[in-house]
Amino acid sequence: MASRVSLKSKGKAGKGSKGSEEKSIAQCLKEWSTWTMKKAKVVTHYGFIPLVIIIGMNSEPKPQIYQLLSPV
């Protein structure tokens, strides 16, 4: 699922090459930010509950693991 980013400019290498270069940089930035947000969503989804348990285990008074996991 890794997307490949190409920095080659498309089209003619004439006067308009600067515009396509800026467009490709903008496109790369957009793809990178989308990729980063997808990864951050997955990390947050799977890391939130373990983080809460770890913070709970390091608090005072020290609870047992079943006390942290029980709904009461």
Side-chain angles (χ1 to χ4, degrees):
M1 285 193 41
S3 62
R4 294 185 181 195
V5 178
S6 176
L7 296 177
K8 294 179 184 177
S9 61
K10 296 179 181 177
K12 297 181 180 177
K15 291 182 179 179
S17 66
K18 177 96 174 155
S20 66
E21 206 174 290
E22 289 176 3
K23 184 177 180 182
S24 68
I25 291 172
Q27 183 65 25
C28 289
L29 182 63
K30 182 179 178 183
E31 289 175 5
W32 182 83
S33 63
T34 303
W35 180 84
T36 305
M37 291 306 292
K38 285 181 181 179
K39 297 298 179 186
K41 182 180 176 182
V42 171
V43 168
T44 303
H45 181 80
Y46 289 108
F48 182 74
I49 298 298
L51 178 68
V52 169
I53 292 172
I54 290 170
I55 291 172
M57 291 293 288
N58 292 328
S59 65
E60 289 294 330
K62 299 271 186 201
Q64 297 296 323
I65 190 75
Y66 69 88
Q67 291 173 327
L68 286 174
L69 298 177
S70 69
V72 180

